[in-house]
Amino acid sequence: MSERHIHMAGHVTERHITRAGQGGDRDVFEYALLRVVPRVERGECVNAGVVVYCRAQGYLGARTHLDEARLLALDPAADVAGVRAVLAAIERTCAGGEQAGQAAGDDAGRRYRWLVAPRSAIVQPGPVHTGLTADPAAETERLLNLLVR
């Protein structure tokens, strides 16, 4: 099923509406960007990773990439090693197991909700978005390349 929308400029777009069971071999996933905000009072940020959760496939994964030059352009005194440590901890939390620390006993959904909860820190999650995918691991890499690198 699709709906047609006419924008003020006269362009017609289609928005596809998928109901349960109509997604084919694709499942709903959620994702949030990881943003580095070196000086919260200025509101400037550098995208540094993505966290993806697909409940149907039991997938939770994060991929990160820190562009040091961009970060240091915003704040020459930024703690690059500290930011890298936080990003690595997020990847470990997504992977689960003993390396997830205190979150090791939590299911993937609970770990994801904790990771994307709003916080005022140097590494912050962006808004949560959704989509459909057959391969959440490949989607994680695609989003990293599209939105971060």
Side-chain angles (χ1 to χ4, degrees):
M1 168 187 267
S2 67
E3 293 180 357
R4 289 188 183 267
H5 295 277
I6 300 175
H7 296 283
M8 290 182 61
H11 296 97
V12 177
T13 62
E14 281 196 23
R15 185 180 83 193
H16 297 281
I17 301 169
T18 303
R19 290 193 169 82
Q22 293 181 333
D25 61 345
R26 299 181 302 163
D27 294 307
V28 173
F29 75 95
E30 301 174 56
Y31 74 94
L33 281 171
L34 298 172
R35 299 173 174 167
V36 179
V37 185
R39 295 178 57 192
V40 176
E41 69 277 7
R42 291 181 59 161
E44 300 166 328
C45 66
V46 175
N47 292 344
V50 63
V51 179
V52 174
Y53 173 58
C54 180
R55 179 178 169 204
Q57 295 188 29
Y59 176 84
L60 175 60
R63 294 278 288 124
T64 62
H65 172 80
L66 181 61
D67 186 332
E68 281 186 38
R70 279 185 177 173
L71 175 59
L72 293 173
L74 294 180
D75 183 2
D79 180 6
V80 174
V83 170
R84 286 196 185 282
V86 171
L87 294 172
I90 290 170
E91 288 192 43
R92 286 192 308 272
T93 300
C94 287
E98 288 182 20
Q99 62 185 358
Q102 291 182 327
D106 292 338
D107 64 29
R110 186 173 174 94
R111 291 193 319 269
Y112 175 73
R113 297 285 173 239
W114 180 78
L115 288 169
V116 299
R119 59 183 46 90
S120 180
I122 193 166
V123 177
Q124 301 177 4
V128 173
H129 304 281
T130 61
L132 294 171
T133 187
D135 184 351
E139 194 67 36
T140 305
E141 191 66 31
R142 185 187 77 79
L143 289 169
L144 180 76
N145 289 328
L146 179 68
L147 303 172
V148 177
R149 288 191 174 150

